C-alpha cells in the first residue's frame, strides 16, 4: 500500500462509491476524505490489536515514572510507549522462559521488576510498512465503518465485516507462516480464525 489515500479508495471501491483524488492529502478539508481520515485511527488500532503482527513488534526499555499509589503487589511503575497499541511481553528478571507479571493502569505499566523492557505491538501508520494481506484486511475494516457512517447501509456493513474477518484470518496465517508456530498461534486464536496448530499444542 503506497498511501493512506490508496487505502481509502480501496475501501470506497468496495462500497461501489466515489473515489478520492490521489493528489489530495487526507489532511485537506474534503468531506469524504475527512470522514475516511476520522475513521482510520479506529480501524487501524482495531486491526493491529487482532494479532501480534511481526512487522509491528517493537521492544523498548521502559522509563520509570513517579508513583504515589503504594501498590505493594506491583511497586514499580513505568510509562507505556505512546505508540503502544497492546503489550505483548515484559522482559526483566522473571527468570528463564518466564515473563514477569504486570498490570496496565491507564498509561502506566506496573510490575515487580526494577528494570524491564517491553515487547509490544506498535501503532504503524506508514502504509509502506503494511504487508499486502494486512492492508487488505484494513481496507475491509474501513469499508465496514464507511458502510454505516457514509451510506447507512447495514447489509453492506455486514458484508464488509464478514470479509474483514476472512481477510484478517488470511493475513494472520500468512504472518504466522514466517514465525515460530509454537509462539505465534494461541489455541483461542486458532479456533476463532480456523488456523492450524502444531501437533504438540493440540
Amino acid at each position: 500500500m503506497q498511501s493512506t489515500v490508496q487505502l481509502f479508495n480501496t475501501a470506497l471501491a468496495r462500497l461501489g462509491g466515489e473515489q478520492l483524488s490521489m493528489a489530495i492529502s487526507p489532511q485537506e478539508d474534503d468531506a469524504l476524505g475527512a470522514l475516511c481520515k476520522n475513521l482510520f485511527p479506529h480501524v487501524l488500532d482495531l486491526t493491529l490489536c487482532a494479532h501480534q503482527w511481526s512487522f509491528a513488534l517493537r521492544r523498548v526499555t521502559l522509563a520509570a515514572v513517579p508513583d504515589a499509589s503504594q501498590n505493594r503487589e506491583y511497586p514499580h511503575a513505568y510509562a507505556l510507549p505512546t505508540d503502544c497499541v497492546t503489550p505483548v511481553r515484559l522482559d526483566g528478571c522473571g527468570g528463564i522462559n518466564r515473563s514477569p507479571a504486570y498490570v496496565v493502569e491507564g498509561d502506566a505499566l506496573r510490575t515487580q521488576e526494577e528494570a524491564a523492557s517491553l515487547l509490544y505491538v506498535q501503532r504503524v501508520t506508514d502504509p509502506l510498512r503494511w504487508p499486502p494481506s494486512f492492508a487488505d484486511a484494513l481496507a475491509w475494516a474501513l469499508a465496514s465503518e464507511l458502510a454505516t457512517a457514509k451510506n447507512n447501509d447495514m447489509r453492506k456493513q455486514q458484508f464488509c465485516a464478514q470479509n474483514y474477518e476472512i481477510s484478517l484470518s488470511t493475513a494472520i496465517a500468512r504472518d504466522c507462516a514466517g514465525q515460530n508456530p509454537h509462539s505465534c498461534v494461541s489455541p483461542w486464536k486458532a479456533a476463532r480464525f480456523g488456523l492450524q496448530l502444531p501437533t504438540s499444542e493440540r
Side-chain angles (χ1 to χ4, degrees):
M1 191 68 66
Q2 297 298 313
S3 68
T4 53
V5 175
Q6 185 180 359
L7 175 78
F8 298 165
N9 281 337
T10 300
L12 290 167
R14 289 171 177 177
L15 296 176
E18 55 194 299
Q19 295 280 281
L20 299 171
S21 169
M22 295 301 292
I24 294 179
S25 165
Q27 286 75 32
E28 291 188 16
D29 189 18
D30 172 82
L32 185 56
L35 179 60
C36 292
K37 178 191 171 187
N38 290 337
L39 292 173
F40 172 67
H42 165 68
V43 297
L44 177 63
D45 280 4
L46 180 71
T47 309
L48 285 169
C49 281
H51 176 61
Q52 295 173 19
W53 304 100
S54 58
F55 74 91
L57 289 179
R58 186 184 180 193
R59 191 186 308 275
V60 296
T61 299
L62 299 177
V65 295
D67 178 54
S69 65
Q70 300 299 315
N71 187 320
R72 295 182 178 179
E73 185 177 4
Y74 300 104
H76 300 288
Y78 300 91
L80 280 172
T82 57
D83 60 355
C84 176
V85 175
T86 182
V88 174
R89 184 176 69 251
L90 186 67
D91 296 330
C93 302
I96 299 176
N97 297 325
R98 186 171 72 85
S99 175
Y102 65 88
V103 294
V104 175
E105 296 179 353
D107 58 357
L109 181 146
R110 304 189 62 92
T111 180
Q112 297 178 352
E113 304 300 318
E114 295 184 1
S117 63
L118 179 70
L119 179 69
Y120 68 97
V121 175
Q122 180 186 30
R123 181 174 292 105
V124 179
T125 59
D126 182 1
L128 296 176
R129 290 181 56 188
W130 302 335
S133 56
F134 175 87
D136 182 64
L138 190 58
W140 278 117
L142 181 58
S144 177
E145 294 291 336
L146 287 169
T148 50
K150 176 181 179 292
N151 299 341
N152 194 27
D153 190 330
M154 291 301 299
R155 292 185 63 183
K156 281 189 176 180
Q157 190 277 331
Q158 293 174 358
F159 171 78
C160 292
Q162 290 172 353
N163 278 280
Y164 165 71
E165 292 291 337
I166 294 170
S167 61
L168 181 63
S169 65
T170 299
I172 289 174
R174 289 179 177 174
D175 190 59
C176 287
Q179 305 299 315
N180 182 346
H182 293 277
S183 61
C184 194
V185 185
S186 68
W188 177 86
K189 191 171 292 181
R192 180 184 179 192
F193 295 112
L195 304 178
Q196 187 70 33
L197 276 175
T199 305
S200 60
E201 293 187 21
R202 293 177 184 174

